[in-house]
Amino acid sequence: MKQDIDIKTADGIAKAAIFRPDNGTSVEHGVVLYMDAMGPRAALDDMAQRLANAGYIVLLPDLFYRFGVYGPFDGGAFGNPASRETIMTMLRGTTQEMTKVDSAAFLDALSAAGAKGAAGVVGYCMGGGRALTAAATYPDRIAAAASFHGGNLASDAEDSPHRLAAKIKARVYVGVAGVDNSFPPEQSARLAEALRTGGVDHTIENYVGMAHGWTVPDHGVYDEIGAERHWKRLLNLFEEALM
C-alpha cells in the first residue's frame, strides 16, 4: 500500500512515498530506499512495495526535489541526450552533503510512520553511495546498509563514501556489477580496505555478467536471474540485522 507524503527538510519540501505490506500486516521495522538517477517512478514503486511486503515500512524519497517537477524518466532515459543532460544536471546539483542532511528528515519520517528501532537503507546507482553515507552519518539509527551498482563509492572525491567507513556501525552489503565504469576494480579494492580497516561487518559481491542497473525492472540491462539474487541478498541482510 502506497501513501504519498511531504517531508520538510532544511532546504524545502521533499516528495516521498511510504509503502506498507499489501496484506495489511502490522510491521515496525523501517527501510529508506535511495533512488537511482532516473528518480521515483513505477519501477521503483514496485521495488519498494516488494520490500514492504517482506515485512517493512519503506520510504522512497525524491532526492531531486530541489529541482521541482521533472521527468518522468525511465531506465532508458540515458539513451536520450536531452534527458541525459537534465538528469546529469540534477545529479551534479544534488550533492552527497545535501542527501546526508536530508537523511535525518527521512529517518524521522520513517519513525513518524511507525517504524521502531534502527532502520535499514538500500540504494541503487547514485543511491548506493548515499545509503553508505547515511549509515556513516547516523550510525546509531541505521543497522543495515546495502548498495547495488552504486557508483563512485571509493573515488578520489572529498565526499567519497569510503572516507567515512570507520564511522559505520551497520552491517554493509555491496553488490557490484561485473563491469561498471562508475565503480572499477580499483575502487572496489579501496572500498574493501576502508571497510576492513574501519572494522565494518561487510560483504562486497561481484555479480559477474551483470551490467550497471541490472536490478531495476525498467532498465535496458535488467536481468531477472541477477535481480532475484539481489533480492535474496538484500532480504537476508535486513532479516539478520533488523529483525
Side-chain angles (χ1 to χ4, degrees), residues 85-99:
E85 181 55 34
T86 297
I87 292 168
M88 290 306 298
T89 296
M90 293 190 294
L91 180 55
R92 287 188 291 263
T94 305
T95 64
Q96 283 271 10
E97 182 64 27
M98 289 174 179
T99 305

Side-chain angles (χ1 to χ4, degrees), residues 199-218:
V200 180
D201 182 353
H202 71 281
T203 299
I204 299 177
E205 186 171 6
N206 184 12
Y207 285 65
V208 177
M210 300 297 105
H212 180 93
W214 88 88
T215 62
V216 184
D218 69 349

Side-chain angles (χ1 to χ4, degrees), residues 5-222:
I5 64 170
D6 291 333
I7 300 176
K8 182 173 175 51
T9 73
D11 288 341
I13 302 295
K15 296 291 185 182
I18 290 280
F19 295 80
R20 303 176 189 273
D22 280 328
N23 62 10
T25 301
S26 178
V27 294
E28 60 181 36
H29 298 287
V31 173
V32 179
L33 193 162
Y34 291 88
M35 68 189 208
D36 62 10
M38 276 63 76
R41 57 194 188 280
L44 292 191
D45 283 356
D46 289 346
M47 293 175 73
Q49 188 61 61
R50 178 167 176 174
L51 187 51
N53 289 343
Y56 301 96
I57 301 169
V58 180
L59 176 72
L60 174 61
D62 180 4
L63 304 185
F64 290 158
Y65 70 90
R66 293 172 179 84
F67 291 88
V69 177
Y70 63 89
F73 301 113
D74 61 24
F78 267 70
N80 179 297
S83 296
R84 178 186 177 89
E85 181 55 34
T86 297
I87 292 168
M88 290 306 298
T89 296
M90 293 190 294
L91 180 55
R92 287 188 291 263
T94 305
T95 64
Q96 283 271 10
E97 182 64 27
M98 289 174 179
T99 305
K100 179 168 70 172
V101 174
D102 290 344
S103 291
F106 299 160
L107 292 167
D108 288 344
L110 268 184
S111 296
K116 300 177 182 178
V121 291
V122 57
Y124 299 85
C125 179
M126 65 168 277
R130 289 155 206 263
L132 297 184
T133 295
T137 307
Y138 308 99
D140 295 325
R141 303 184 71 179
I142 296 173
S147 165
F148 292 93
H149 44 86
N152 298 308
L153 303 182
S155 72
D156 294 328
E158 287 299 317
D159 62 357
S160 178
H162 81 286
R163 301 184 188 278
L164 304 174
K167 298 180 179 181
I168 296 175
K169 296 181 181 178
R171 185 179 299 186
V172 170
Y173 179 92
V174 178
V176 182
V179 177
D180 189 343
N181 292 333
S182 71
F183 190 62
E186 58 269 23
Q187 282 200 37
S188 184
R190 185 183 295 167
L191 178 63
E193 178 64 12
L195 293 171
R196 185 189 68 79
T197 58
V200 180
D201 182 353
H202 71 281
T203 299
I204 299 177
E205 186 171 6
N206 184 12
Y207 285 65
V208 177
M210 300 297 105
H212 180 93
W214 88 88
T215 62
V216 184
D218 69 349
H219 204 296
V221 299
Y222 174 72

